[in-house]
Amino acid sequence: MNSLDYSWSIVTKIDLLESQMIDVKQIEDAFNELMANNISKVYEGWYLEALREQLTTKIIPEFWLRTSKKSSDNYTTYTYMFKAVQYLHNQFVKWLDNCLIDSLFQKNFDRIVSFQTKMKTLLKSLLLSSLEPHFNDCILVTYSYGFLVSRNMNELKQSFSDVSKDENGLDISDVHPDPCCQGFQGNSNLNESEISGDGKDWSIIENKEENCKCDQVLKLFVDMNKYLRDMDLLEVICSDAVSSVIHTHIEKYILQKCQKSFEVLFLNKLENWIQTTVIGWTRMVIGDDLSQIGRTSNERLMYFMYETYSEIRIKQMFDIIIEFPDSEPALEDLKECLQKCHGSRAKVIQSIKSSFEARLLHPGVSTNDILTAYIQTIKSLKVLDPSGVILQLVCDPIKKYLKEREDTVRCIITALTDETSELVPELAKEPPQSLDDDNLMNDDEYISKNWRTWKPDPVDAAKLTYSSKSIRFFDIVSILVNIYESKDLFVEEYQRLFAQRFLQNFDCNVDHERRNLELLTLRFGESDLHSCEVMLQDISSSKRIDNRINAGEIEAYHFTQFPIKCLIISAQFWPDKLGLTSTDEANKIKLPSAVNKAIETYTKAFETIKGSRTLNWLKHFGIVELDLEFNDRKMTFNVSPIHATIIYHFQEKNCWSLSELSQCISVPTAVVRRKMTLWQNKGIIKETGTDKYVLIEEQSVDSDKGPSKGSLGDDYEEYL
């Protein structure tokens, strides 16, 4: 008998067995005879050859033909795949389990299982060797469809379980017999774009009038996977599709839920969704046999979820930092992900560095904004990485960039001492230790002192060229001061800013400045800030003397036209230390005679109080309060003495040439021209010719500037 005839004979016998037309007893007797003559091995080979012939010529071609059927209806396409798998299973099971097999191996379970494994291996090899190009797309769509049905049924059942009865006490399921399909009809998520991204309409229920097919879809899905498991085809045919579907939907779900929201903790919710929806669907695919979980195991799915979430958050790190503390929940979630996902710390560092370089560290951003971002970075990374290693790695570029900016020191000191600044509470915190690097503990000393709470540094700490204890403690003030790795610049700048505040505003809050000085003394040392102590004493003493003089306590000296409020400072500290020594240009300014008379009166009053002491006036410093009255308006300004002197002379005559005015007030023409700009901008003076200026007594409504105040800051900087 040739192989084809033998194959036909075996198939005929299998068909007859199915129809119960062959006496099983006769088959068992025949096989017993074969076993007695030791020719059963030959029959095994003939049986496998017969199976090969049937698979190659009939069963597998028919299977591919059934899977190649296409339909615009999603449910119909889904059923085509199920019927194809069902056909393959039904045909193969006839060969896999029958009386011929039982008789051949005398119902020996181990031998039967071993032989069936060979048959499954044969099916697997023949099927994969003839794999049709369309099959991968078909199986991907099938599993995507199955996942969507399962996911939405779970979500809808969950939503209905949360509110099981309406306000009248009626069961919602009584009102809506098919809640799942009703949810699908209005669910925009159920489309092929979730599967392949081509934008086609893949709504599960195309016709709202159709009956719900959700339960039927899931039943077919469960049966199809059972058939594939029975044939040992599930992993080799569907594992890639299952993994792709799961990963795609996990990514989409996390992106949809977490893309723009930093204020909510998501990890617990995502873990619950993975457990109930994703792993629940995976169980439908793999059944209860844990050995087949493979790449879709629970641990792998959780890891992928953590990894996906961390990648999304890492891309948003700059926004998370800027929005801190509102974004603290996102940082807490990301912190947990960093502990679970290898390599995520390096990605965080690179993301922050790239974002800073592109969005922060360039000339278009002010120093104050960079410092604000730096402070936000310190606060947020304290939550993300308590070790301080990430902070030290990502902030080195910021430190280098700030060090190159001329106004960095002034911006830091201003922020530390400004009453409205967010850094004021940070200055009040007790520093972890002295800022002197020589006094910093080494690692061994630090561990010995803090051994109960000590934790080893992360692996990436090896990349650090140095380790700063101020960063370990996240002391913001110390970190900012260490930008220059020296406190001298900050002490000098603080003295300079301290003086400027009182020179610009005689009514400056002395108590606030004293508190700032005490806090800075704790950090920088008393010897470095001794000059500021003297300056503060000068201010307090000056206020007492000034109040006595202006209160009329010295009866022989009273002010009539020009009352003066004076700040009296010690010559040996303020000018020499801070560069406030009068320049030749400043000394030339000639104030109006009435003002000079008031100054002389004030000096005599001071000499009466202090005896042998007198005053040396810095006439170019100070603030002049002006009330200007015109024919059609009144205006108020706070300006520097030189601005006030210029406008004062216009009440003598309305028109001045630049040279005349310069000679009159003993200031160079270049300075007068520059200072004249303020009054021109305010619409009070206009230039009618070359270096000729005229007072504007009457002003049109459109050009009227209204009451305003001048600025002393530019004038002060000019003489430094």
Side-chain angles (χ1 to χ4, degrees):
M1 180 184 296
N2 59 40
S3 61
L4 183 60
D5 292 338
Y6 181 77
S7 175
W8 179 85
S9 175
I10 292 294
V11 174
T12 302
K13 290 178 181 179
I14 290 175
D15 291 339
L16 291 175
L17 283 171
E18 292 291 328
S19 62
Q20 297 182 349
M21 294 178 64
I22 291 182
D23 188 349
V24 176
K25 181 64 171 62
Q26 292 179 358
I27 295 176
E28 290 179 352
D29 293 341
F31 276 105
N32 287 335
E33 188 67 24
L34 291 174
M35 296 293 293
N37 291 281
N38 295 322
I39 60 174
S40 61
K41 292 289 184 181
V42 177
Y43 194 85
E44 289 181 26
W46 287 341
Y47 193 92
L48 290 175
E49 181 64 24
L51 175 59
R52 179 190 296 274
E53 289 287 344
Q54 281 295 302
L55 290 174
T56 305
T57 60
K58 180 182 177 183
I59 299 176
I60 292 179
E62 179 64 21
F63 173 76
W64 293 131
L65 181 63
R66 291 171 181 250
T67 59
S68 64
K69 294 180 179 180
K70 296 181 180 180
S71 173
S72 59
D73 176 70
N74 198 35
Y75 177 76
T76 303
T77 303
Y78 184 82
T79 56
Y80 284 159
M81 176 58 70
F82 168 78
K83 290 180 180 179
V85 173
Q86 186 183 46
Y87 164 78
L88 181 64
H89 178 265
N90 291 341
Q91 294 299 315
F92 185 65
V93 166
K94 293 179 182 180
W95 292 80
L96 196 65
D97 187 15
N98 54 57
C99 293
L100 295 176
I101 297 294
D102 291 340
S103 300
L104 176 62
F105 298 103
Q106 297 182 336
K107 299 183 180 180
N108 185 313
F109 178 77
D110 292 336
R111 294 185 63 192
I112 291 175
V113 170
S114 177
F115 188 68
Q116 288 177 338
T117 301
K118 293 180 181 179
M119 297 170 66
K120 292 177 181 179
T121 302
L122 178 62
L123 172 64
K124 191 186 304 182
S125 61
L126 293 175
L127 194 65
L128 294 179
S129 64
S130 60
L131 191 67
E132 293 288 339
H134 69 273
F135 182 72
N136 287 335
D137 294 336
C138 187
I139 202 71
L140 179 62
V141 170
T142 300
Y143 277 90
S144 296
Y145 184 83
F147 181 88
L148 290 173
V149 174
S150 174
R151 182 198 70 182
N152 286 276
M153 284 189 69
N154 285 338
E155 292 177 355
L156 287 169
K157 288 178 180 178
Q158 180 64 35
S159 65
F160 276 90
S161 66
D162 293 339
V163 187
S164 59
K165 295 181 179 296
D166 65 8
E167 60 182 3
N168 296 321
L170 298 176
D171 194 327
I172 292 180
S173 61
D174 295 336
V175 181
H176 304 290
D178 295 318
C180 183
C181 280
Q182 290 177 7
F184 287 150
Q185 291 167 4
N187 195 333
S188 61
N189 292 329
L190 300 181
N191 54 63
E192 196 184 18
S193 62
E194 289 195 67
I195 301 172
S196 60
D198 58 9
K200 295 180 181 178
D201 182 12
W202 275 74
S203 57
I204 289 182
I205 303 300
E206 270 72 357
N207 190 342
K208 294 185 180 181
E209 304 299 327
E210 291 183 1
N211 294 326
C212 176
K213 297 184 178 69
C214 301
D215 291 334
Q216 182 181 358
V217 167
L218 287 185
K219 183 179 183 304
L220 295 180
F221 186 74
V222 172
D223 291 344
M224 180 182 70
N225 286 286
K226 181 179 181 300
Y227 295 153
L228 292 172
R229 290 198 302 272
D230 290 345
M231 295 182 289
D232 200 19
L233 293 175
L234 181 64
E235 184 172 355
V236 295
I237 289 181
C238 305
S239 60
D240 289 341
V242 170
S243 298
S244 177
V245 169
I246 289 175
H247 291 174
T248 298
H249 285 280
I250 289 177
E251 289 175 346
K252 289 182 178 293
Y253 184 83
I254 294 176
L255 192 64
Q256 177 186 359
K257 295 293 183 181
C258 312
Q259 176 69 15
K260 294 297 183 181
S261 179
F262 303 144
E263 297 82 12
V264 180
L265 292 168
F266 282 108
L267 279 187
N268 289 337
K269 297 178 181 179
L270 294 176
E271 289 174 357
N272 182 65
W273 182 78
I274 293 291
Q275 289 287 350
T276 57
T277 301
V278 179
I279 294 180
W281 179 78
T282 304
R283 293 291 184 185
M284 288 186 184
V285 176
I286 65 175
D288 296 325
D289 187 2
L290 297 181
S291 63
Q292 296 189 41
I293 291 180
R295 292 185 296 176
T296 56
S297 65
N298 298 3
E299 294 79 7
R300 289 177 180 270
L301 289 176
M302 286 298 179
Y303 181 85
F304 181 78
M305 182 271 291
Y306 285 121
E307 194 175 49
T308 302
Y309 180 86
S310 64
E311 288 180 355
I312 292 174
R313 288 299 187 226
I314 287 171
K315 294 177 181 178
Q316 302 168 333
M317 275 306 299
F318 186 85
D319 295 327
I320 291 174
I321 289 172
I322 297 302
E323 294 187 22
F324 187 85
D326 294 339
S327 61
E328 185 171 353
L331 290 168
E332 292 287 355
D333 281 343
L334 182 57
K335 177 182 177 182
E336 185 175 348
C337 292
L338 295 185
Q339 296 171 355
K340 298 177 182 293
C341 302
H342 175 71
S344 294
R345 287 175 63 90
K347 293 179 180 178
V348 169
I349 294 170
Q350 183 58 42
S351 175
I352 298 176
K353 283 185 174 181
S354 300
S355 298
F356 283 166
E357 183 177 352
R359 304 173 64 177
L360 191 67
L361 305 181
H362 56 79
V365 183
S366 68
T367 303
N368 281 326
D369 290 340
I370 297 176
L371 286 173
T372 300
Y374 191 14
I375 295 168
Q376 288 291 93
T377 303
I378 296 170
K379 293 179 178 179
S380 57
L381 292 187
K382 178 180 180 180
V383 176
L384 184 64
D385 178 32
S387 70
V389 174
I390 292 180
L391 174 66
Q392 200 163 346
L393 288 171
V394 303
C395 288
D396 278 346
I398 300 181
K399 290 175 59 178
K400 292 178 181 178
Y401 187 81
L402 286 172
K403 197 172 182 179
E404 297 173 355
R405 288 210 170 190
E406 297 179 355
D407 60 340
T408 298
V409 178
R410 168 156 292 219
C411 289
I412 293 175
I413 293 297
T414 302
L416 287 173
T417 56
D418 187 354
E419 294 183 61
T420 61
S421 172
E422 62 176 337
L423 280 183
V424 172
E426 297 295 332
L427 184 62
K429 293 181 180 179
E430 183 180 356
Q433 61 230 2
S434 174
L435 292 177
D436 291 327
D437 291 338
D438 294 338
N439 295 328
L440 291 176
M441 294 181 291
N442 59 39
D443 288 342
D444 292 337
E445 293 171 340
Y446 176 77
I447 294 171
S448 298
K449 184 177 180 180
N450 303 278
W451 64 273
R452 291 182 180 274
T453 58
W454 175 84
K455 293 181 180 179
D457 285 337
V459 177
D460 49 6
K463 299 178 181 179
L464 298 176
T465 56
Y466 67 95
S467 180
S468 172
K469 295 295 187 297
S470 64
I471 288 182
R472 289 179 184 273
F473 287 94
F474 291 90
D475 181 58
I476 295 177
V477 177
S478 301
I479 293 174
L480 293 177
V481 170
N482 283 335
I483 289 177
Y484 288 88
E485 302 174 1
S486 170
K487 62 183 181 181
D488 295 338
L489 287 174
F490 289 88
V491 171
E492 293 176 4
E493 185 60 35
Y494 173 68
Q495 293 173 340
R496 184 183 182 90
L497 185 64
F498 186 88
Q500 182 178 342
R501 280 196 177 133
F502 284 103
L503 290 173
Q504 289 185 354
N505 182 10
F506 291 175
D507 295 325
C508 188
N509 189 336
V510 177
D511 293 334
H512 174 73
E513 294 299 335
R514 187 182 300 279
R515 176 178 177 273
N516 287 339
L517 180 58
E518 291 173 352
L519 294 174
L520 289 171
T521 301
L522 293 175
R523 289 179 176 269
F524 296 113
E526 185 174 354
S527 59
D528 294 301
L529 294 173
H530 176 68
S531 297
C532 293
E533 288 282 357
V534 176
M535 293 160 65
L536 198 59
Q537 292 175 7
D538 284 347
I539 293 168
S540 299
S541 175
S542 172
K543 284 192 173 184
R544 290 194 300 270
I545 295 173
D546 185 78
N547 289 336
R548 291 181 63 185
I549 295 175
N550 282 285
E553 184 176 329
I554 312 301
E555 297 183 359
Y557 306 102
H558 295 283
F559 300 101
T560 56
Q561 187 176 2
F562 293 102
I564 295 178
K565 190 172 185 179
C566 185
L567 176 63
I568 304 170
I569 61 178
S570 300
Q572 65 269 32
F573 285 98
W574 292 64
D576 296 337
K577 269 277 188 181
L578 304 170
L580 301 181
T581 306
S582 299
T583 63
D584 293 339
E585 183 178 276
N587 286 331
K588 291 180 180 180
I589 185 172
K590 184 185 296 183
L591 298 178
S593 58
V595 177
N596 282 326
K597 185 177 180 180
I599 289 176
E600 292 175 1
T601 302
Y602 194 100
T603 303
K604 291 178 181 180
F606 176 81
E607 291 172 350
T608 301
I609 296 174
K610 286 295 183 177
S612 60
R613 294 188 180 184
T614 188
L615 297 177
N616 181 23
W617 292 81
L618 301 176
K619 298 179 180 180
H620 57 288
F621 286 114
I623 303 171
V624 180
E625 298 180 4
L626 292 179
D627 291 327
L628 304 182
E629 295 186 10
F630 301 91
N631 293 339
D632 58 347
R633 66 196 187 279
K634 293 182 179 181
M635 304 180 76
T636 301
F637 296 94
N638 289 337
V639 296
S640 66
I642 190 170
H643 284 107
T645 302
I646 290 173
I647 199 64
Y648 179 88
H649 284 83
F650 276 88
Q651 69 179 351
E652 298 176 3
K653 62 178 183 177
N654 289 345
C655 181
W656 286 85
S657 68
L658 187 63
S659 58
E660 289 176 338
L661 190 58
S662 174
Q663 185 177 4
C664 183
I665 64 177
S666 299
V667 175
T669 56
V671 176
V672 176
R673 181 184 289 108
R674 187 168 64 252
K675 299 304 178 181
M676 192 74 74
T677 305
L678 171 66
W679 302 120
Q680 289 178 276
N681 292 337
K682 298 299 180 181
I684 294 174
I685 292 175
K686 68 177 179 179
E687 188 174 5
T688 58
T690 304
D691 292 339
K692 287 191 177 182
Y693 300 91
V694 176
L695 181 69
I696 303 175
E697 284 286 357
E698 295 184 357
Q699 195 173 46
S700 63
V701 176
D702 293 339
S703 60
D704 188 4
K705 302 294 182 180
S708 181
K709 291 187 178 182
S711 172
L712 177 65
D714 294 340
D715 191 66
Y716 174 77
E717 292 292 339
E718 176 194 347
Y719 288 101
L720 289 181

